[in-house]
Amino acid sequence: MKLYPYLRSRTTFCLTCCLLITSQLAWSQVFQRGGTFTLVAQNAPDNFTSTFSISSSPITISADNGKLQITESIHAISLNSEWLVLDIETTNGGPLAGDPTQRWSYDLFYPFQQTAFVDEVAGYWSFNEQAYSPITPFGTGFLASTAPNPLDPSLGPVFDVMHNPPAGPYPPFSFRHGSVILSPYNILANGGVNPSQANGFHYLVHAFSAAVPELNGAAALLATLGLGGLLSRLRRKSHRPRPPRLYR
């Protein structure tokens, strides 16, 4: 039985929506894979610059002449938003600062694959991979507030800032500069962290693409179920007997 014209048009519309959802599921790279991540450190524990390529799979590199181990990972949250996480730990278990009475800083430069906005930055210090808890807001930027870990609350609290409105836009293949500065480093004690003990620092940045409207997993599921229901109704309509034509 042939479909009525309006059924054909609606079927085409539904199929188009399905294809759009499928294409969005595959289009989730916000941070540039293969792009260069640059870390410039001062007194952390030495002064050095380290570069490495961003990868979808976690990668670990050695830095500061083997004194640090740095792991980079990306966590996709929705169709067009991701967390970029940098875990920095000393290899000998010693403190992160070479001299806690001096300025300590990390400058981070990371690239985007497409036009993007940054709406949240977080960070926390750890000792032997355990986050300090409780912690107290201090300083400026993301150090001025605290929140549960946005990726895994069971890991403990983090220093966190929400950008409202989001920072950006950052054009495709451009870099964003983030920084963490403590001067002197031992003011970290005001936040509930032991500066002479902490041997790990963890930096998290959340970005989303402006090219694709953000659609989380629940919304995608609802959209799929809705399309399935609409197609089912259209199929039932297509099997209804056509009314007899009246001729005058």
Side-chain angles (χ1 to χ4, degrees):
M1 179 180 294
K2 293 183 179 180
L3 293 175
Y4 299 134
Y6 76 91
L7 287 177
R8 288 200 299 269
S9 63
R10 282 161 175 74
T11 301
T12 302
F13 169 77
C14 292
L15 291 175
T16 301
C17 289
C18 290
L19 290 174
L20 286 174
I21 289 177
T22 303
S23 65
Q24 288 182 1
L25 287 172
W27 188 17
S28 60
Q29 293 189 2
V30 181
F31 296 100
Q32 184 188 1
R33 308 307 195 265
T36 300
F37 190 121
T38 301
L39 174 66
V40 181
Q42 178 181 355
N43 187 34
D46 300 317
N47 299 337
F48 70 91
T49 298
S50 182
T51 60
F52 52 90
S53 295
I54 293 179
S55 173
S56 295
S57 303
I59 61 171
T60 299
I61 66 166
S62 176
D64 196 9
N65 296 316
K67 294 181 180 179
L68 294 178
Q69 177 177 283
I70 302 175
T71 300
E72 171 268 320
S73 59
I74 291 180
H75 305 263
I77 301 301
S78 65
L79 297 179
N80 69 317
S81 67
E82 297 176 330
W83 280 97
L84 176 63
V85 180
L86 206 65
D87 298 300
I88 305 172
E89 297 176 314
T90 60
T91 54
N92 64 0
L96 280 172
D99 184 349
T101 66
Q102 298 298 314
R103 185 182 191 271
W104 177 94
S105 67
Y106 282 131
D107 287 285
L108 310 100
F109 302 85
Y110 42 89
F112 298 102
Q113 179 68 31
Q114 50 193 303
T115 301
F117 293 84
V118 172
D119 60 355
E120 187 172 0
V121 176
Y124 65 95
W125 281 261
S126 64
F127 176 64
N128 293 343
E129 300 183 353
Q130 296 295 315
Y132 282 89
S133 181
I135 55 177
T136 304
F138 76 104
T140 60
F142 74 88
L143 298 173
S145 61
T146 61
N149 189 303
L151 278 176
D152 185 354
S154 68
L155 295 178
V158 300
F159 296 99
D160 181 275
V161 62
M162 299 288 293
H163 292 297
N164 187 18
Y170 299 96
F173 311 114
S174 65
F175 288 81
R176 182 177 191 266
H177 174 210
S179 62
V180 186
I181 302 172
L182 295 177
S183 186
Y185 179 72
N186 56 19
I187 64 172
L188 187 59
N190 296 336
V193 177
N194 185 340
S196 299
Q197 181 191 59
N199 54 17
F201 175 71
H202 312 267
Y203 184 82
L204 304 83
V205 56
H206 181 263
F208 64 92
S209 168
V212 182
E214 187 163 357
L215 182 64
N216 59 29
L221 177 60
L222 290 174
T224 304
L225 292 175
L227 288 173
L230 180 57
L231 285 171
S232 177
R233 289 194 297 272
L234 291 175
R235 283 196 297 269
R236 288 197 299 269
K237 286 185 177 181
S238 68
H239 288 85
R240 291 178 182 174
R242 297 178 64 178
R245 293 184 177 179
L246 298 178
Y247 297 93
R248 294 185 178 178

